[in-house]
Amino acid sequence: MANPTAAEFKTLFPQWAATSDTSVDAWIVQAALRFTPSKFGAQWAMAAYLYTGHQLALHNPDAADASGNHLARGPVTADKVGDLSRSYGSTVDMTRIPASLQWLASTVYGQQLIGVIMSRSAARGRVVRTGSSYPGTSRTSDS
């Protein structure tokens, strides 16, 4: 299995094309410490890329996709012109997400990463319950 690269990340997520390879690589390294190939198998590179996108979006809060959706805030759910107002939402039903994964729901990448983690646990015959801790997903874990 090939290691994730900044070039492949930027191919998958062209909205980050202008981001330095050094920044992308730094987050890929952090992802590799958190999500290991032995635990994620074929989904490991995608988990690393989604984690990288999540962190880049958190650290660049004004970043937006081609449609204008803020990557760190989710899609625009309401707009107002007089006195300027804008609301952002999430496509994730937080009642179905374990507490240990909810920190990922703040970006579109994190939301997709939750799906990868949840599908991985389902494929292994594990049940992830809302409010439970899932091994390997805490901020201090190495998986």
Side-chain angles (χ1 to χ4, degrees):
M1 176 182 315
N3 287 330
T5 65
E8 187 173 338
F9 173 81
K10 291 177 181 184
T11 298
L12 291 170
F13 305 107
Q15 57 272 35
W16 297 110
T19 304
S20 74
D21 286 356
T22 303
S23 293
V24 173
D25 285 334
W27 287 115
I28 288 173
V29 167
Q30 292 302 309
L33 295 172
R34 192 176 297 268
F35 306 104
T36 62
S38 64
K39 292 190 179 183
F40 276 79
Q43 292 181 316
W44 174 66
M46 184 52 68
Y49 292 140
L50 292 171
Y51 179 80
T52 298
H54 175 73
Q55 291 296 343
L56 288 171
L58 289 177
H59 290 85
N60 297 283
D62 293 326
D65 65 15
S67 301
N69 292 317
H70 284 267
L71 302 173
R73 299 179 196 137
V76 175
T77 58
D79 242 345
K80 182 180 174 186
V81 177
D83 290 328
L84 299 173
S85 178
R86 182 170 275 175
S87 298
Y88 300 91
S90 173
T91 58
V92 176
D93 178 0
M94 295 298 279
T95 63
R96 301 184 57 107
I97 305 301
S100 62
L101 297 179
Q102 289 182 4
W103 67 278
L104 291 168
S106 61
T107 71
V108 294
Y109 304 99
Q111 292 168 18
Q112 291 175 40
L113 181 54
I114 289 169
V116 170
I117 292 168
M118 300 282 283
S119 69
R120 180 187 129 234
S121 65
R124 298 173 100 185
R126 300 173 93 177
V127 175
V128 179
R129 293 184 178 89
T130 301
S132 67
S133 178
Y134 184 74
T137 59
S138 70
R139 291 179 185 246
T140 58
S141 176
D142 68 348
S143 55

